[in-house]
Amino acid sequence: MGLLTDPRAGNGEMAKFILKWEKPLCYILYILGIGWMMLLASPYINENTYYSENALLPGLVKKESNLMSAAKQFYHELSTERERFPDQMPYAWLLAKFHQLHLDVFTQNFTLNYPFRNQQYKGQNVYGIVRAPRAASTEAIVVSVPYRPITSVHADTTPSVALLLAFAQFCRKQKYWAKDIIFLVTEHEQLGMQSWLDAYHGVTSGHEGVLVSGDLAGRAGSIQAAINLELHSMTISSIDVKVEGLNGQLPNLDLFNLAQNMINKEGIRRTFQRRFDTYEKDKFKKWQYHFNTLMSMTLTQATGIPTGNHGLFHRFGIEAVSLEGFDNYKDGAQRNFYHVGRVVESIVRSLNNLLERFHQSFFFYLLPCTDRYISIALYMTSLVLIVAGLFIKAFSIWLRLQDSSVKSESEKQTGKKQLQSNDNVTEFSVGSIASEILWTHTVGVSLMSSPRFLTSIISQYLDLRTEDAIYFTFLTITMLSILWPILTIRRRSKYSNIALVCVITCVEFATALMCVAMHNFSLALLCAALYVPFVLSINPKERISSGFRKILYVLWPLLHPFFVTSFVILIYTCINYGEEKILAILGRSLRATKQAFVLSIIDSMIYGNWFYNVAVAVMLPIWMLYWNVISRNTEIKT
């Protein structure tokens, strides 16, 4: 503590070293952090996956199912029924089939009150329960399918419903189940799943009154695990195992390993991030493949958006994955529902063997391929190295403020050598510093908590659509946050005040990155990789003199969270629609950006996705504080 509080502590060897080599040291740490993250994709550093939970007894059960004929019959019947109800779920047909299979059958109604208009959307979930004959309904496993009507923009899941019914028929006849099995068909994608989970656990995950879940008429035991099926054809050539959940949460690695091994055992090609494993002998090409897969997972996880219905189970402590099946004869031999059904059977029967909840193996990991993993102990090092530069920068500025032997900026320019006495303590204007930090965070918190209010006012007086109102609101606030320091700051500010603001902001930014990384490492890593190299060059100065500082003065506004999001969507649009003309691409990008802003707010209200909250309540105030430091001219240091 003495090093931080004693003004004479700057004379120590460690302090002198930090003051002398601050910038090179910070940039070296940043490069080492990025380099370490890249090296983690190498098979020489990451490790092979393995089972920590031996109670699963994977692959030891004797599989008995042959679901092909039953699934085929259900598929044809459902296909006919879908023609009668092209834009909704055939509730009556599903209820009838569940009743014919002698399951305990229930329905659940839910309502979505659209946050930005007086509109309601209603839906219904259908589920049946196979009660465990050898237990007292204390535990349960969920097998779910998102029903998609003919008019849905998403890939067809009719084969998934057929397989679910066939598997339910098989399970009903078996006597070895120690856990209840819930067969759930949800409507409206993740809305249906979220409402069912909220009702099952008696909670509201999002804002009150937005998604009204109602009550469930029937329940089973405490849910231990869930398998979500998204099979798009009756013949399957590959199955992709999806793990990314809400806010970047992941299931226990043992469940992922179980699914991958059972898929491989049935001779079906397995993928992760829709990428097949490579068997390249060339070490560089192999590393390149693993790195691309790793970055694909990182980008997916950073958004905090679940890649399937499985991702909504994780917040309740339920391990879940989605199995998405594709039919592409070029990707390998085709398999029918005899093989796919045995995959589902082996996974559920392995889960049935569990004597307790998943607690071993990893809950925090990254995956470069289907059979290798990177543990938190390895990948967290990269972020720590990057963040260390922010703490070093803050510490060095603090030392300069406390060290009475450091010259002021004016003294450096005039060449004067005026030494201050050791007992001269730097003075700060606490009120000015506190007010600056307070108003920037107030802006962020206000944006986080009042999008519905602002949108309703703008839509009412300007007659704009919701997405246009939100987009132009953010654009206006962005321009004001950029112009405000330039238009309002006329006089010079005390160097000590601006320097202390920079210190506080560096510490806040570093702390925020580490806190976010505890839950969503990918989001923290991408923010750090983008902002830290620029932050390391931000220093309070008397005037904009250096060439790089002038460049920073131009570049920093482009790093505003609003512009960063827009640029990312533009790049994504260019990649997917590169063959179109430039104006068409820009138009697509603008529409996608508007929709992305609306969806991020709605996700935070319905599901509790905090990507929007982090962007406006954490990153925006930090950006504004750094922008104030860049924009302000300072007086002689006190």
Side-chain angles (χ1 to χ4, degrees), residues 117-131:
R117 293 195 197 101
N118 293 325
Q119 293 180 340
Q120 283 189 343
Y121 300 91
K122 296 184 180 296
Q124 189 177 67
N125 299 321
V126 178
Y127 63 103
I129 304 174
V130 173
R131 301 293 181 181

Side-chain angles (χ1 to χ4, degrees), residues 434-446:
S435 64
E436 182 170 340
I437 295 174
L438 179 62
W439 79 262
T440 54
H441 286 79
T442 301
V443 170
V445 173
S446 299

Side-chain angles (χ1 to χ4, degrees), residues 187-205:
E187 192 176 18
H188 299 315
E189 299 296 326
Q190 295 177 9
L191 283 176
M193 181 58 74
Q194 184 64 61
S195 65
W196 189 85
L197 286 170
D198 282 354
Y200 197 91
H201 295 90
V203 299
T204 300
S205 298

Side-chain angles (χ1 to χ4, degrees), residues 197 242-246 248-252 255 310-321:
L197 286 170
K242 300 191 290 188
V243 296
E244 295 86 0
L246 183 69
Q249 285 187 274
L250 300 171
N252 188 279
L255 181 58
H310 71 279
L312 300 174
F313 284 88
H314 300 155
R315 63 147 44 105
F316 299 100
I318 302 169
E319 313 311 318
V321 295

